[in-house]
Amino acid sequence: MKNLTLKQLRYFEALARHSHFGRAADACAISQPAMSVQIKELEETLGTELFERSARQVRLTSFGEEFAQRVRDILRSVDELEDLARASLERLVGRFRIGVIPTVAPYLLPTIIGNLTRLHGGLDIHVRETQTQKLIQELADGRLDTAIVALPVSEPSLTEVALFEENFVLVRPGDDEGKPVPSREKLREMRLLLLEEGHCFREQALSFCNMHSARPRELLDGSSLSTLVQMVGAGIGVTLIPEMAVAVETRSASVSLARFRSPQPSRTIGMIWRKASPLAEQLLQISEVVRQSADALREQNNPTSSLLGSGN
């Protein structure tokens, strides 16, 4: 029996994750035929099939499911050995894998990456933008070093570091400029546009409006904040967006902006990472860069505050 190789295990894990040879090959930066050969050799070494193959996708066999869990544990341990060596350095260098939720990434990432590149020149930054639950899973699997999310996530295995608070802004059609700002009770009677299921910002907006049991006809879903704002501009309804998104999302939309009266709806943005990560000290340094980036963005966008009315 031949020895298994780490390369084969990484290819196997990619195929198990993507369930598609082409996407797995792309993720590993190899050709699809090369991926197929490596998986076939791995199966021959093990003496059993790991995947059920069909024309459209591949699925793990029962043995493949169990094998996948062991492989993830092995690869996570190998990555942590590499992290242990990196942790002995004063500054983080090399590959840095950071996840960001979609309601933060487009607005804060450019500033973060610019500052990280300037202050930590040895970093090879890899960004992953997706929803919170996927980021948590990828952290647990060792595929990310850290993630920027809305807190709390309340995962015992993860460290949470709060970085900043930001309020939500009400976006209404342009013709509503100057009208009284609705109370949360009044907002429940309006057509509210929200992000689709799975986005934590959706749940935060619903919580503010106390609309967890809202009737489906009262809500319309969008895939991005940009879509929601454009729908408001077309007169379809109203929406809430975080302050950091205001400058980008409203510059080309015919909408009006308003703040709610205190206490305003808000969220806490922070960084999370595995408690077992050897890079904890370096990640704390990174968190300060993220905090300073958010402060700089807030100061840069401060002129937008003059556009926002206050609720009575």
Side-chain angles (χ1 to χ4, degrees):
M1 180 175 178
K2 297 179 182 177
N3 291 328
L4 306 180
T5 67
L6 276 177
K7 180 170 67 176
Q8 288 176 329
L9 296 185
R10 292 198 185 278
Y11 292 166
F12 164 81
E13 192 279 332
L15 184 55
R17 176 158 34 97
H18 291 283
S19 299
H20 187 277
F21 273 98
R23 290 193 292 271
D26 289 342
C28 296
I30 62 171
S31 67
Q32 185 170 330
M35 170 69 73
S36 298
V37 168
Q38 289 292 329
I39 297 300
K40 189 64 178 175
E41 288 183 359
L42 178 60
E43 289 179 324
E44 290 175 353
T45 297
L46 295 169
T48 186
E49 291 189 346
L50 294 166
F51 296 95
E52 298 174 6
R53 295 159 172 84
S54 69
R56 293 188 176 182
Q57 67 174 12
V58 293
R59 298 173 183 264
L60 287 166
T61 63
S62 296
F63 173 76
E65 291 277 3
E66 184 176 353
F67 187 73
Q69 184 57 55
R70 302 292 181 90
V71 167
R72 292 186 185 106
D73 290 342
I74 290 169
L75 294 179
R76 184 165 54 245
S77 296
V78 170
D79 288 342
E80 287 178 353
L81 286 175
E82 295 175 355
D83 289 345
L84 191 62
R86 296 165 68 199
S88 66
L89 304 174
E90 290 185 5
R91 288 190 175 184
L92 194 58
V93 296
R95 183 184 61 178
F96 179 57
R97 303 163 300 174
I98 182 170
V100 192
I101 55 176
T103 56
V104 169
Y107 320 111
L108 191 53
L109 262 183
T111 306
I112 291 174
I113 292 175
N115 288 337
L116 284 177
T117 301
R118 177 172 54 84
L119 298 172
H120 300 265
L123 283 183
D124 176 21
I125 302 172
H126 296 251
V127 176
R128 166 79 162 133
E129 178 187 344
T130 190
Q131 296 172 8
T132 301
Q133 286 306 310
K134 291 181 180 178
L135 294 177
I136 290 172
Q137 185 58 56
E138 292 178 19
L139 274 173
D141 292 342
R143 300 202 300 272
L144 290 174
D145 296 308
T146 187
I148 301 172
V149 298
L151 300 180
V153 296
S154 302
E155 288 287 335
S157 63
L158 298 178
T159 294
E160 299 183 15
V161 176
L163 299 178
F164 62 92
E165 301 268 343
E166 69 167 344
N167 293 327
F168 302 163
V169 175
L170 176 65
V171 184
R172 300 184 289 183
D175 292 342
D176 287 355
E177 181 74 43
K179 290 183 179 181
V181 179
S183 65
R184 69 176 70 190
E185 291 77 17
K186 187 67 175 177
L187 197 59
R188 289 201 294 269
E189 301 172 8
M190 304 172 74
R191 176 174 283 181
L192 185 61
L193 312 181
L194 296 172
L195 292 174
E196 59 194 1
E197 294 283 351
H199 289 272
C200 58
F201 190 77
R202 172 192 176 91
E203 300 307 317
Q204 291 157 355
L206 285 173
S207 178
F208 169 69
C209 301
N210 195 22
M211 291 177 66
H212 290 291
S213 59
R215 294 187 299 277
R217 69 176 181 83
E218 294 175 327
L219 305 176
L220 291 176
D221 293 345
S223 60
S224 69
L225 294 178
S226 179
T227 298
L228 297 183
V229 172
Q230 294 301 322
M231 290 168 71
V232 171
I236 294 176
V238 302
T239 193
L240 305 180
I241 64 174
E243 280 184 311
M244 72 170 67
V246 168
V248 172
E249 302 301 354
T250 64
R251 61 190 173 194
S252 62
S254 179
V255 297
S256 61
L257 308 172
R259 292 189 186 276
F260 294 97
R261 62 186 177 188
S262 296
Q264 296 184 48
S266 64
R267 65 177 179 176
T268 301
I269 299 298
M271 270 178 54
I272 57 176
W273 57 81
R274 294 183 306 280
K275 286 182 177 178
S277 173
L279 298 174
E281 185 175 339
Q282 284 84 353
L283 291 173
L284 273 175
Q285 296 175 10
I286 297 294
S287 73
E288 282 303 309
V289 176
V290 175
R291 189 196 311 275
Q292 292 164 12
S293 299
D295 289 343
L297 182 64
R298 188 178 297 111
E299 188 172 323
Q300 175 186 326
N301 291 339
N302 191 51
T304 64
S305 63
S306 63
L307 302 176
L308 303 179
S310 297
N312 297 320

